[in-house]
Amino acid sequence: MEAVLYRERFFILLLKVNEIRKRSSRSDTKNVPFVPFEKINHLTEFSHGPSRETSEGELITLSKGGSPAQHIYIKRSVQMNYIKWIAAAAAMVFVLSFSQPKADAAVLKNGSAGPEVTYIQSALQKLGYFYTDNTGYYGTVTENAVRNFQYDFGLAADGIVGVNTAEMLRNVDMLAHVVYGEARGESYEGQVAVAAVVLNRMESNEFPDTLSNVIFQKNAITAVNDGQYWLQPDAEAYQAVRDAFDGWDPTGGAVYYYNPYTATDQWIFTRTVIKQIGSHNFAY
């Protein structure tokens, strides 16, 4: 399943970025990250002597063409640029996964194994369908969890993750990111309401008709613009999405929501408010 594979690569890259961030804040030089020589273009100091760290930069161990390792001091800003480069690449990998052709999706079923299965189990666990540890092996427990998910989401309940099930899991995951990025800290009802607004937009002629296009429509979702969309959702966000897909709409059909105390676009205040839940106004 291509989309799942891209998803796994995304999280692996994020873990690498987080590790580099941690290391860049340390005062020692024992475990400094390896950076390919080709990535270094702003050197501040060169030394063949003992390893040490200056206040100007981090000590990076480099090697090229099989030559002995050399120690080069590189400005901290360069290392941070490298981190940003990885993060941008990770985000691009994840976004590109949305456009993968359906025909490329692999089938996961009883007997399958690997990181794709781990991802499926993790999503099902947060949705309340999978109650044991993630093993990466697609056995009877996973099959039953998939079947229950399919039944609740209106899919053919065959216990196999094919194209349609994979797409629905991806949609649930994307919407959970919106809920967590936009409404974490709000009441549970407020989180379901945000999910419901996104689903209402899919049904409206004024918005795109696919979930990914609704979410990534230019300037449509604040969390996408400020990067909070990429935070890892908690189980409550997934549960809120599940309830919204199940038909709960606390907003009564709203297609907009905003915080009246932080909104800067005056146009949003021209919308008719249906309901206020927590810090958000819901409108059409």
Side-chain angles (χ1 to χ4, degrees):
M1 190 170 61
E2 197 72 19
V4 173
L5 182 58
Y6 276 105
R7 178 70 166 157
E8 289 298 320
R9 289 173 181 171
F10 169 74
F11 282 121
I12 291 170
L13 281 168
L14 281 187
L15 289 173
K16 290 181 179 179
V17 171
N18 187 52
E19 180 61 22
I20 292 175
R21 286 184 184 275
K22 289 179 179 178
R23 289 177 176 178
S24 65
S25 64
R26 296 175 183 169
S27 60
D28 63 63
T29 59
K30 294 180 180 179
N31 296 306
V32 292
F34 173 81
V35 180
F37 188 87
E38 290 75 14
K39 298 295 180 185
I40 308 302
N41 52 21
H42 298 292
L43 305 181
T44 60
E45 186 176 349
F46 179 81
S47 172
H48 290 287
S51 300
R52 61 187 179 87
E53 181 179 14
T54 68
S55 60
E56 287 187 356
E58 299 284 7
L59 179 61
I60 308 298
T61 300
L62 304 170
S63 64
K64 181 182 180 182
S67 60
Q70 298 173 332
H71 294 123
I72 298 178
Y73 293 96
I74 177 174
K75 288 184 178 178
R76 188 180 300 271
S77 61
V78 177
Q79 189 177 34
M80 294 308 296
N81 285 338
Y82 183 57
I83 292 172
K84 292 177 181 178
W85 177 83
I86 296 176
M92 183 60 68
V93 165
F94 185 67
V95 172
L96 286 175
S97 70
F98 298 141
S99 61
Q100 291 302 306
K102 291 185 178 181
D104 289 346
V107 172
L108 297 177
K109 57 185 179 179
N110 201 322
S112 298
E116 296 92 346
V117 176
T118 301
Y119 165 70
I120 295 296
Q121 291 172 336
S122 177
L124 292 173
Q125 190 177 60
K126 291 177 181 178
L127 285 166
Y129 294 103
F130 190 75
Y131 299 101
T132 187
D133 294 334
N134 303 330
T135 63
Y137 178 76
Y138 201 121
T140 302
V141 175
T142 302
E143 182 179 47
N144 289 335
V146 169
R147 186 177 287 111
N148 290 333
F149 168 83
Q150 292 168 325
Y151 179 83
D152 287 348
F153 283 79
L155 301 170
D158 57 9
I160 297 173
V161 179
V163 173
N164 293 332
T165 301
E167 183 176 14
M168 182 59 75
L169 281 166
R170 183 181 62 195
N171 284 343
V172 168
D173 188 63
M174 285 191 293
L175 191 49
H177 276 79
V178 172
V179 170
Y180 191 73
E182 294 277 283
R184 66 185 184 280
E186 294 289 323
S187 67
Y188 183 72
E189 181 186 17
Q191 295 181 56
V192 176
V194 167
V197 166
V198 178
L199 295 180
N200 290 342
R201 290 185 179 185
M202 288 177 58
E203 302 300 323
S204 171
N205 293 330
E206 299 178 3
F207 297 90
D209 59 1
T210 66
L211 190 66
S212 61
N213 287 339
V214 167
I215 291 173
F216 291 98
Q217 186 179 26
K218 185 177 180 180
N219 297 326
I221 305 293
T222 301
V224 173
N225 288 343
D226 65 18
Q228 295 188 66
Y229 173 87
W230 305 104
L231 298 175
Q232 179 60 30
D234 57 15
E236 188 172 43
Y238 280 88
Q239 290 291 330
V241 170
R242 178 179 174 178
D243 280 336
F245 267 105
D246 196 39
W248 184 18
D249 181 3
T251 75
V255 291
Y256 299 102
Y257 62 88
Y258 63 94
N259 186 325
Y261 299 104
T262 61
T264 58
D265 187 346
Q266 294 303 308
W267 176 86
I268 195 65
F269 290 100
T270 67
R271 302 295 88 195
T272 301
V273 175
I274 303 174
K275 191 173 183 179
Q276 181 177 4
I277 304 175
S279 61
H280 287 132
N281 284 348
F282 293 86
Y284 63 86

